[in-house]
Amino acid sequence: MRVLLISTYELGRQPFGLASPAAMLEAAGHTVECTDASLDPVSLSAVERAGLIAFHLPMHTATRLASGWIPKIRAANPRAHLCGYGLYAPLNAEYLRGLGVHTLIGGEFERALCDLAAALNRGAVNQPPLVTLDRVEFAVPRRDGLPPLERYARLVNDGRRLVAGYTEASRGCKHLCRHCPVVPVYRGKFRVVPVETVLDDAEQQVASGARHITFGDPDFFNGPGHARRIIEAFPARFAGVTYDVTIKIEHLLRHRDLLPMLARTGCAFVTSAVESVDDAVLERLDKGHTRADFLEAAALCREAGVPLSPTFIPFTPWTTLGGYRELLATIAELGLVKHVAPVQFALRLLIPNGSLLLDLNEVRARVERFDPASLTWRWRHPDPEVDRLAEAALRLVDTMEKQGASRETAFTAVWKLAHGKAPDFHLPARAAIPYLTEPWYC
């Protein structure tokens, strides 16, 4: 079976979501081609010769971009079997089927893709379940069919722009944050990738020039023992190479004993989805931490020498103008202005299909309709001023990014927008932390 795997967007990273299934499909005897449509046009000849064409749909933006490609692919090869796989495939099943996608796979997709290709070879396809969480015997991802790492996002560190790689040490999450798209698919389960498979994938990227590796797990400390084995082996195997991870505030506190180890083994920064500094909002999102927990985690990371890079959803149905200003003040007081990408001051809560937020009566009363074009439930804030501020903040940070403004300059502009005046204090003179050139969001 000729298989074409297509990625439309993976946060400026070389697509793990193509490399991992490509390895297993090839091992099963299939001929695989991979296309990263964020960098290169989809080859018409590759489309025409494929019997199975599968889109990786790991996030909201990727799915919206794929929805533009799917009709073109169908027209170019109406005989091909179209598949969507990844987190957003089951969340948008009805919409994607309406576009002509035949099979949708959520959860652990590598084996399911192999089974689908084998069934197509036999001429008989039994539809797999929308979500499969069966344990997978992972293979080392096959990356030789992808664009070189030099074409992807870089790590900026002390003025140097370093080639960055990406891998995953685990999938899913054992937590049930209401707004998270992982939750409707994994429902509190997570799966680990064998340590040697993870390190071998990192090694092939380092051999291709990577000087930094992102571990893209939803939460690196879901399995702290597993994480510890990886980071203990990392510096000996990859001298001088740094890495970054994503860890919940709750886990930074619970596993504080591991923070010095992160610093010793080359962790450039830790991303943590803080979302809000308002306890009422955090409770509705079921984040598992409080404002005080965030303050403590920030202090622990600073003490351990691990830069914390918090992310936020500043605009929710419960945001107030005062609460937004308090968020900005807290970031300034903690000395985190250089740690926060400006886009984090402008993000608005997305409510996809399947979101646990829809379990809340107050959310169901607030949403208006599901919009297939944006793949979200539309909602308006009860205070129109908050919606106007959100729109203005998004325009502002977009302008700042296009102008190449520093994080301090962007923060000052956002502060002035929210307060009507520039801040009457000086931002702490802290060194810039390492960061990836593609901002972290969905």
Side-chain angles (χ1 to χ4, degrees):
M1 171 64 61
R2 285 189 171 274
V3 182
L4 174 61
L5 303 177
I6 300 175
S7 169
T8 58
Y9 180 65
E10 294 197 23
L11 291 168
R13 303 159 175 160
Q14 191 186 64
F16 180 93
L18 302 191
S20 182
M24 294 182 66
L25 284 161
E26 284 204 336
H30 304 287
T31 301
V32 183
E33 293 184 73
C34 297
T35 295
D36 185 347
S38 72
L39 294 182
D40 297 313
V42 178
S43 164
L44 179 60
S45 60
V47 170
E48 289 174 339
R49 60 179 171 256
L52 169 60
I53 301 174
F55 287 86
H56 185 219
L57 309 175
M59 63 191 75
H60 180 261
T61 301
T63 310
R64 292 190 66 184
L65 291 170
S67 68
W69 277 106
I70 290 166
K72 300 173 186 176
I73 299 296
R74 284 188 64 202
N77 185 353
R79 298 177 304 280
H81 188 96
L82 300 188
C83 173
Y85 66 99
L87 281 180
Y88 272 74
L91 299 185
N92 298 285
E94 182 179 354
Y95 173 69
L96 293 166
R97 286 183 178 130
L99 294 177
V101 178
H102 303 100
T103 298
L104 297 161
I105 301 168
E108 303 300 280
F109 49 75
E110 288 91 346
R111 178 52 54 197
L113 280 170
C114 289
D115 292 344
L116 175 60
L120 288 169
N121 262 342
R122 296 192 303 268
V125 178
N126 294 320
Q127 285 294 321
L130 265 180
V131 174
T132 175
L133 298 180
D134 295 341
R135 297 184 185 277
V136 173
E137 294 184 11
F138 292 98
V140 177
R142 197 213 79 182
R143 296 182 176 273
D144 54 354
L146 295 170
L149 290 175
E150 289 82 0
R151 296 184 65 191
Y152 291 93
R154 301 293 184 102
L155 179 83
V156 178
N157 192 357
D158 288 335
R160 297 174 300 157
R161 296 169 66 89
L162 305 176
V163 175
Y166 173 91
T167 193
E168 295 178 3
S170 66
R171 300 259 189 84
C173 186
K174 62 184 180 183
H175 297 274
L176 299 173
C177 305
R178 286 194 178 101
H179 63 300
C180 179
V182 176
V183 174
V185 175
Y186 280 87
R187 296 283 176 175
K189 296 183 179 180
F190 76 103
R191 298 284 182 258
V192 300
V193 182
V195 170
E196 281 307 310
T197 303
V198 176
L199 295 174
D200 286 349
D201 186 30
E203 184 170 24
Q204 66 177 336
Q205 295 177 80
V206 171
S208 295
R211 305 306 298 161
H212 179 84
I213 298 292
T214 291
F215 290 100
D217 314 36
D219 194 304
F220 194 64
F221 279 180
N222 264 322
H226 179 64
R228 182 172 194 143
R229 288 190 289 274
I230 290 170
I231 61 177
E232 283 178 336
F234 196 89
R237 192 155 172 176
F238 311 116
V241 178
T242 58
Y243 66 89
D244 71 272
V245 294
T246 298
I247 303 173
K248 279 174 65 70
I249 293 296
E250 179 180 351
H251 284 169
L252 290 172
L253 298 181
R254 183 178 303 164
H255 305 296
R256 62 187 69 200
D257 59 306
L258 294 179
L259 299 186
M261 179 180 289
L262 290 175
R264 289 197 307 271
T265 54
C267 184
F269 62 92
V270 171
T271 298
S272 192
V274 177
E275 315 301 30
S276 177
V277 296
D278 183 325
D279 283 338
V281 175
L282 291 169
E283 183 178 0
R284 288 177 171 94
L285 298 180
D286 200 10
K287 277 300 298 179
H289 71 258
T290 64
R291 171 192 172 88
D293 291 334
F294 166 47
L295 301 183
E296 183 180 2
L300 287 171
C301 287
R302 187 163 53 248
E303 181 181 342
V306 180
L308 179 65
S309 180
T311 63
F312 300 96
I313 305 175
F315 295 103
T316 73
W318 312 287
T319 298
T320 65
L321 295 175
Y324 185 75
R325 294 170 186 143
E326 175 61 22
L327 170 64
L328 299 179
T330 301
I331 292 169
E333 289 166 7
L334 293 176
L336 294 175
V337 169
K338 291 185 178 181
H339 297 228
V340 181
V343 72
Q344 298 297 328
F345 303 128
L347 295 182
R348 197 170 188 270
L349 179 67
L350 292 177
I351 305 180
N353 265 336
S355 172
L356 295 194
L357 284 168
L358 295 168
D359 291 346
L360 298 178
N361 291 332
E362 59 185 310
V363 172
R364 290 198 302 273
R366 177 59 50 193
V367 297
E368 298 173 342
R369 60 185 174 85
F370 183 76
D371 179 15
S374 65
L375 303 179
T376 60
W377 286 89
R378 293 286 190 182
W379 60 270
R380 282 187 290 182
H381 196 280
D383 181 354
E385 284 299 315
V386 175
D387 279 339
R388 282 193 281 271
L389 176 60
E391 292 168 3
L394 187 58
R395 290 194 300 270
L396 178 59
V397 298
D398 183 57
T399 299
M400 293 284 103
E401 182 179 352
K402 289 175 180 175
Q403 293 176 350
S406 69
R407 291 185 171 185
E408 298 98 316
T409 299
F411 179 85
T412 299
V414 171
W415 180 283
K416 187 174 182 179
L417 175 69
H419 290 80
K421 60 180 181 179
D424 57 1
F425 55 85
H426 294 291
L427 297 175
R430 294 183 184 274
I433 72 162
Y435 65 92
L436 292 163
T437 54
E438 186 80 9
W440 188 95
Y441 62 105
C442 290

